[in-house]
């Protein structure tokens, strides 16, 4: 019981530290939330009249289609920014202090991932306030379901960011990995264009991409008629959630193993 109490206290302390530090850095708040909003507006208005998914029987406003993808982009950006602190804490010596403390190393993973997931959840839910601007009406049940989806997806993406950031010695190296892996995962998730409109080879890549299922889960919560908006039926909601949960659990387990093996 004592060891469990120590682990829980350490994880909650790191979680609180992540949240407090984020709220005190206004530049991070602006960068993590404003950048996706600007991206959503510019791309959405640019493709306003020239976008129509294959198979769709109605004219689709690209701002409406791009809305769930922008939410997932906010989760991804927050995961990237929150796991930068892993590298910064190592340079500042804070991480070494935590590693030699009596707390188990698994609590480091728990605190960091829960902190990043909380920040992603907060910013994703804030962006949902823009839904009426594109004609999306979210019911109370949809808002509750969306809150659960965003937290689970945020934890999964933060776990991926932590797994990539932990072995990195510099923020430059993490930037390179981000540009090479994380952003293409978002581009090939159905966030910007439906799977049905892609090349057959690209379709297989998109179906193997776990972020695709995070976008699909958000689409099921946001749209009343998913097929009418996307031109196809995306993976089912429960299938999407299962993939996101399994992916998140794998990232959490992999991060824990990696931290425990590090000297």
């Amino acid at each position: 019981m004592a060891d469990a109490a120590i682990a829980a206290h350490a994880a909650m302390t790191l979680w609180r530290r992540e949240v407090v530090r984020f709220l005190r850095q206004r530049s991070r708040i602006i960068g993590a939330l404003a950048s996706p909003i600007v991206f959503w507006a510019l791309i959405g208005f640019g493709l306003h009249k020239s976008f129509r998914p294959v198979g769709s029987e109605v004219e689709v406003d690209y701002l409406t289609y791009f809305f769930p993808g922008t939410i997932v982009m906010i989760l991804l950006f927050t995961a990237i920014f929150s796991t930068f602190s892993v590298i910064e804490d190592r340079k500042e010596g804070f991480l070494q202090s935590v590693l030699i403390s009596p707390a188990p190393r698994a609590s480091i993973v728990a605190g960091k991932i829960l902190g990043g997931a909380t920040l992603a959840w907060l910013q994703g839910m804030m962006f949902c306030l823009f839904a009426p601007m594109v004609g999306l009406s979210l019911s109370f049940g949809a808002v509750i379901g969306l809150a659960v989806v965003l937290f689970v997806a945020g934890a999964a993406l933060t776990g991926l960011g932590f797994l990539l950031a932990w072995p990195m010695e510099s923020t430059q190296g993490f930037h390179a990995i981000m540009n090479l892996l994380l952003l293409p995962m978002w581009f090939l998730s159905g966030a910007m264009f439906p799977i049905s409109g892609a090349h057959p080879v690209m379709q297989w890549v998109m179906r193997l991409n776990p972020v695709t299922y995070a976008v699909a889960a958000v689409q099921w919560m946001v749209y009343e008629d998913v097929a009418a908006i996307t031109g196809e039926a995306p993976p089912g909601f429960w299938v999407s959630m299962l993939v996101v949960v399994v992916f998140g659990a794998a990232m959490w387990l992999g991060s824990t193993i990696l931290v425990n093996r590090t000297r």
Side-chain angles (χ1 to χ4, degrees), residues 229-242:
I229 300 296
T230 62
E232 62 180 355
F237 174 75
W238 293 112
V239 172
S240 300
M241 285 301 297
L242 178 61

Side-chain angles (χ1 to χ4, degrees), residues 68-91:
T70 306
I71 295 177
V72 176
M73 179 170 60
I74 291 174
L75 302 183
L76 183 61
F77 275 30
T78 305
I80 292 171
F81 289 145
S82 64
T83 49
F84 269 128
S85 63
V86 174
I87 304 173
E88 296 172 354
D89 288 344
R90 182 184 294 115
K91 290 183 177 181

Side-chain angles (χ1 to χ4, degrees), residues 79 171-172 215 235:
T171 55
Q172 291 83 358
V215 173

Side-chain angles (χ1 to χ4, degrees), residues 38 153 158 200 215:
V38 172
T158 305
V215 173

Side-chain angles (χ1 to χ4, degrees), residues 121 125 128 137-150 217-224 237-238 241:
W121 179 82
M125 293 303 294
C128 291
S137 179
L138 303 180
S139 64
F140 178 76
V143 172
I144 298 300
L146 188 60
V148 175
V149 171
L150 295 188
V218 176
Q219 289 176 339
W220 281 108
M221 289 292 99
V222 170
Y223 300 144
E224 294 183 2
F237 174 75
W238 293 112
M241 285 301 297

Side-chain angles (χ1 to χ4, degrees), residues 113-191:
I113 292 180
L114 290 177
T118 301
L119 298 177
W121 179 82
L122 287 172
Q123 294 177 85
M125 293 303 294
M126 288 176 60
F127 183 76
C128 291
L129 297 175
F130 292 92
M133 294 178 57
V134 292
L136 296 174
S137 179
L138 303 180
S139 64
F140 178 76
V143 172
I144 298 300
L146 188 60
V148 175
V149 171
L150 295 188
F151 189 83
V152 174
L157 293 174
T158 305
L160 174 61
F162 184 94
L163 188 65
L164 297 175
W166 182 263
M168 295 293 169
E169 298 293 337
S170 66
T171 55
Q172 291 83 358
F174 187 66
H175 267 297
I177 295 297
M178 175 191 70
N179 293 329
L180 180 65
L181 179 62
L182 297 183
L183 289 181
M185 288 180 67
W186 177 77
F187 280 115
L188 298 177
S189 65

